[in-house]
Amino acid sequence: MNGAGWIDPLVSLLPGIDGFAWPALLLALPLPWLARWLLPPRRGTGAALAVPFGARLARVQGGTAVATRGGHAPWLAWCAWVLLCVAAARPQILGEAVQPPQAGRELMLALDLSGSMSEPDMQLGGRPVDRLTAAKAVLADFLDRRAGDRVGLLVFGRRAYVLTPLTLDRETVRQQLVDSVVGLAGQETAIGDAIGLAVKRLRGGADGSATDPDQPRVLVLLTDGVNTAGLLDPLKAAELAADAGVRVHTIAFGGEGSLSLFGFQLPMPGAGDEIDEDTLRGIAEATGGRFFRARDTAELAGIYAEIDRLEPVERPGEAVRPRIERYAWPLGGALALALLAFAWARRRRA
């Protein structure tokens, strides 16, 4: 922290100071003394009057000058200069040791926005809501617990799109989640393309943002349907994910469906069977992940809590001691001494 071994003796003389950020600036300490002794004295350039008693007058002036110079207390200016040099070198102290968290995961969230996500067969706060609204509420709570992770958001319908690349800014991810609506990516469901795009971004996306190869990479995919669109077969996409070291947790979300009749929601038995649970289970098994089935909001919240437990967020990082600046104290002292020296000189002249 000191930057040079020669400064250690000086640091030991300053109580409460652990070092300097710019110790080389302390080399300026002897500059006023060097200037005083090495530079030639200033000579007057005004007109002079030759008198026969010039030598005696010079002796009188010399004696007066010596007396006056001693009365201006130059030691105040010297002390101010020393403090100014110390402030310029930026004295610092070490704060208490802290252990910052390290990111536990590279986590991508994939959310189905196909037309079936508008099915109003969920309950949230005692009122009926559609599947997407319920999923958003649970995902928002999940994001609150992922401090330390780099999280990205991907949505898919007929096509798959990345709304938020991997980032530590969870507030941006949450805002993009709020703005997502059914049909934004099309009315169909491209599960395979969603997995393929997520793997590409977790490996190092087209935007040039590389992921940390030492960090676990996880995809959490939520859907309420079957693969009806896209170019990539879901199980083939799962193989690509496994080769890239991406673990995929799949969530089949949806109730039994409902039919709106005169303002009432009537259940439709068999509507929930449209979810391709076998394919989602195969994707999870091929990548070392888990398959989950959620039929209501409470089950979905429990699933994300379980994923939160399976994928720990943070581990303690290397302990560090922050550097705290203390230049303000010597700088204030230098200013006070300079003002005192100026006031002293004016008082002597008065």
Side-chain angles (χ1 to χ4, degrees), residues 34-157:
L34 293 175
R36 180 178 182 182
W37 294 108
L38 297 180
L39 295 179
R42 188 180 59 146
R43 298 182 179 274
T45 57
L49 176 65
V51 295
F53 48 86
R56 204 166 81 189
L57 183 60
R59 283 196 298 272
V60 173
Q61 289 178 336
T64 304
V66 171
T68 304
R69 186 174 57 189
H72 284 175
W75 57 271
L76 290 175
W78 296 124
C79 291
W81 173 255
V82 170
L83 290 177
L84 187 62
C85 290
V86 170
R90 287 178 56 196
Q92 299 174 334
I93 65 172
L94 294 176
E96 294 295 329
V98 295
Q99 279 190 314
Q102 291 183 347
R105 294 290 183 271
E106 304 279 343
L107 181 65
M108 183 69 74
L109 303 175
L111 179 62
D112 187 352
L113 295 184
S114 61
S116 56
M117 288 294 287
S118 62
E119 193 69 41
D121 57 353
M122 293 292 149
Q123 292 283 326
L124 185 63
R127 60 185 181 87
V129 296
D130 59 69
R131 295 174 181 176
L132 180 59
T133 300
K136 285 182 180 181
V138 175
L139 271 173
D141 179 68
F142 179 72
L143 282 172
D144 290 338
R145 300 194 298 268
R146 305 308 298 186
D149 278 357
R150 290 212 311 162
V151 183
L153 177 63
L154 179 152
V155 297
F156 62 97

Side-chain angles (χ1 to χ4, degrees), residues 249-272:
H249 299 295
T250 55
I251 302 174
F253 182 49
E256 300 301 329
S258 64
L259 174 66
S260 179
L261 183 63
F262 302 110
F264 296 96
Q265 300 297 328
L266 303 178
M268 294 177 61

Side-chain angles (χ1 to χ4, degrees), residues 95-312:
E96 294 295 329
V98 295
Q99 279 190 314
Q102 291 183 347
R105 294 290 183 271
E106 304 279 343
L107 181 65
M108 183 69 74
L109 303 175
L111 179 62
D112 187 352
L113 295 184
S114 61
S116 56
M117 288 294 287
S118 62
E119 193 69 41
D121 57 353
M122 293 292 149
Q123 292 283 326
L124 185 63
R127 60 185 181 87
V129 296
D130 59 69
R131 295 174 181 176
L132 180 59
T133 300
K136 285 182 180 181
V138 175
L139 271 173
D141 179 68
F142 179 72
L143 282 172
D144 290 338
R145 300 194 298 268
R146 305 308 298 186
D149 278 357
R150 290 212 311 162
V151 183
L153 177 63
L154 179 152
V155 297
F156 62 97
R158 181 179 178 82
R159 298 180 182 274
Y161 301 97
V162 172
L163 295 187
T164 308
L166 292 169
T167 177
L168 291 171
D169 185 3
R170 291 174 295 135
E171 187 57 38
T172 298
V173 180
R174 185 179 292 105
Q175 187 58 51
Q176 291 292 339
L177 178 65
V178 170
D179 294 339
S180 301
V181 295
V182 171
L184 180 65
Q187 298 294 325
E188 299 176 82
T189 307
I191 297 175
D193 285 4
I195 297 174
L197 181 57
V199 170
K200 181 178 180 180
R201 287 307 179 98
L202 286 167
R203 229 173 11 193
D207 61 347
S209 59
T211 61
D212 187 348
D214 296 329
Q215 297 292 356
R217 290 171 286 186
V218 180
L219 168 64
V220 181
L221 183 142
L222 182 147
T223 182
D224 69 340
V226 298
N227 189 75
T228 58
L231 303 176
L232 190 59
D233 179 75
L235 294 178
K236 180 62 176 178
E239 294 179 9
L240 297 177
D243 292 340
V246 177
R247 184 163 51 253
V248 183
H249 299 295
T250 55
I251 302 174
F253 182 49
E256 300 301 329
S258 64
L259 174 66
S260 179
L261 183 63
F262 302 110
F264 296 96
Q265 300 297 328
L266 303 178
M268 294 177 61
D273 297 336
E274 296 179 357
I275 302 176
D276 189 354
E277 297 184 16
D278 291 337
T279 297
L280 295 177
R281 184 178 289 106
I283 293 170
E285 292 176 353
T287 60
R290 291 274 301 274
F291 166 74
F292 301 94
R293 179 68 171 98
R295 290 179 172 81
D296 55 40
T297 307
E299 287 186 356
L300 183 62
I303 288 170
Y304 276 104
E306 176 67 11
I307 294 175
D308 196 40
R309 186 188 65 81
L310 292 173
E311 306 293 347

